[in-house]
Amino acid sequence: MSQERKPQLSTLVVHAGTDRGQWTGAASVPIYMASTFHQRDIDEGQVYDYSRSGNPTRHAAEEAIACLEGGTRGFAFASGMAAMSTCLALFSAGDHLIVAQDIYGGTYRILDKVWTRFGVETTFVDTTDLEAVIAAVRPNTRGLILESPSNPTLAVTDLAGCAALARERGWLTIADNTFMSPCLQKPLELGIDIVVHSATKFLAGHSDLISGCVVVGDEELGKRIGFLQNAFGNILSPHDSWLLLRGMKTLAVRMAASQQGARQLAAFLNNHPKVSRVYYPGLDNHPGYGIHNRQASGPGAVLSFDLGSRAAVKQFFSRVKLPIVAVSLGGVESILSYPTTMSHAAMEPEERIRRGIGPGLIRLSVGLEDPDDLQADLAEALDGLE
Ligand SMILES: *Cc1c(COP(=O)(O)O)cnc(C)c1O
């Protein structure tokens, strides 16, 4: 390949993190099930000494995600929450954080119930409104935690706008990029400092492991995260690192196919008389449509829609045949979830309603089934609703 040509993401996902001849040249990075490594000379440092600090299979997965997000260092954790919690440990008692109000429920929980005990203050803000972010500033504000599009109403935050605002003030910015994956959105290129993933979702992609990733561009910041990862020890196991590597190789084709299905289903649901509202950044009636198109190359594979009542949702779930009804997203199979009793169960009902999470709201993560089969299945389930 010529020096000037930058490979596309679909090329990178196949080759990132693979070992070309360093050891054996194996096309699939071996699973190094070793807790420790023989030290030939105690005066000489070596790359691997203990697997909490570093493991070859995990390193391959870490190099792969760093490459895909365009960062200098990647880190693989035992879950998305382990990844996020480790990043949040960059802050100290007395620091104040501004956090997207629609942030993932687990991130909300750890900030609200755990970090407050260590003296980190948090204000949850509608970050789709930059004025609201500015209005929340305190003299001790040190960080901005974002997610775009958000869950489950797919609210879009201007990541570059927020990053610029934070940079002027010396705050650290963290963006949860789980819904988009680096195929569709690269927060580091938009000026964000730290990208976090629940790799359980699109990155791994097969609903068969729990994992998380962090990527940074700045090397100093990379050292700080590496220190915390080793200190906490919440690392991804060698076997799960291998599953993640395997999953990521097909990320680009999976994302493209699932997104195509999501576009079709969003359009279908948007015109269906039994559906009162569809939330999808690929529809031009979505309030964040313009900003999303500026910062991402596609609307992704997750959408939400409203059937008006809990009774309608129950009927719909009992009639639909292809998608599974479950927590999670980003798998090869389509997944329907019910935010009211699943992701947002802990939230006060009034607060849920205020955020558009009514009793009729359903989230759909579109998998790899044939989109016409999915549409026919949804149509049949909807048409039978009383
Ligand atoms: C699932 C999810 C998480 C948490 O990840 P786990 O792997 O379940 O710990 C964080 N953020 C988003 C957006 C998620 O969907």
Side-chain angles (χ1 to χ4, degrees), residues 79-82 104 107 147 176 178-179 198-201 210-211 329:
S79 68
M81 280 320 301
Y104 177 74
T107 305
E147 192 177 318
D176 184 329
T178 301
F179 272 42
S198 170
T200 309
K201 317 294 167 54
I210 300 284
S211 52
L329 58 113

Side-chain angles (χ1 to χ4, degrees), residues 22 59 64 83 95-96 99 154 167 175 186 195 260 269 335 350 362:
Q22 193 194 352
H59 270 174
D95 289 352
H96 171 247
V99 183
L154 291 300
R167 193 140 292 186
K186 292 199 174 150
V195 178
Q260 197 186 340
L269 292 166
I335 303 177
E350 305 77 47
I362 295 172

Side-chain angles (χ1 to χ4, degrees), residues 65-314:
I65 186 61
C67 167
L68 302 184
E69 285 286 2
T72 59
R73 283 205 53 193
F75 302 91
F77 292 90
S79 68
M81 280 320 301
M84 179 57 92
S85 306
T86 302
C87 295
L88 294 176
L90 290 164
F91 300 102
S92 303
D95 289 352
H96 171 247
L97 309 179
I98 298 174
V99 183
Q101 66 172 12
D102 286 342
I103 202 82
Y104 177 74
T107 305
Y108 176 88
R109 176 170 50 206
I110 197 157
L111 285 167
D112 188 49
K113 296 277 190 289
V114 182
W115 252 242
T116 45
R117 289 201 283 109
F118 296 99
V120 175
E121 302 163 23
T122 306
T123 309
F124 295 94
V125 168
D126 175 5
T127 52
T128 64
D129 175 5
L130 288 186
E131 295 300 318
V133 174
I134 292 168
V137 174
R138 294 185 194 167
N140 56 336
T141 302
R142 296 285 178 272
L144 189 52
I145 322 293
L146 306 167
E147 192 177 318
S148 186
S150 75
N151 180 31
T153 56
L154 291 300
V156 173
T157 290
D158 177 354
L159 294 177
C162 283
L165 205 151
R167 193 140 292 186
E168 277 168 26
R169 293 161 174 83
W171 309 338
L172 211 52
T173 44
I174 301 179
D176 184 329
N177 202 31
T178 301
F179 272 42
M180 288 286 100
S181 91
C183 285
L184 303 176
Q185 181 168 274
K186 292 199 174 150
L188 297 181
E189 287 177 2
L190 299 168
I192 296 291
D193 297 311
I194 304 176
V195 178
V196 175
H197 278 281
S198 170
T200 309
K201 317 294 167 54
F202 289 102
L203 293 183
H206 294 70
S207 302
D208 54 9
L209 80 149
I210 300 284
S211 52
C213 290
V214 171
V215 181
V216 297
D218 181 74
E219 288 180 21
E220 263 320 297
L221 195 51
K223 285 187 186 147
R224 290 170 66 198
I225 305 256
F227 171 83
L228 289 170
Q229 184 194 40
N230 187 44
F232 282 124
N234 47 5
I235 45 158
L236 192 64
S237 76
H239 184 260
D240 285 353
S241 296
W242 182 84
L243 277 171
L244 174 57
L245 272 168
R246 181 182 164 108
M248 281 196 291
K249 288 184 199 220
T250 53
L251 175 65
V253 284
R254 282 187 288 106
M255 202 42 137
S258 287
Q259 176 173 265
Q260 197 186 340
R263 283 184 194 275
Q264 176 176 331
L265 296 177
F268 161 74
L269 292 166
N270 200 39
N271 288 317
H272 199 286
K274 298 264 167 70
V275 176
S276 61
R277 185 157 176 194
V278 179
Y279 300 84
Y280 185 56
L283 292 173
D284 61 12
N285 64 8
H286 187 84
Y289 181 76
I291 293 172
H292 188 77
N293 277 330
R294 247 194 357 251
Q295 66 190 11
S297 60
V302 181
L303 57 100
S304 294
F305 57 102
D306 205 313
L307 293 184
S309 72
R310 188 173 179 132
V313 171
K314 281 192 75 143

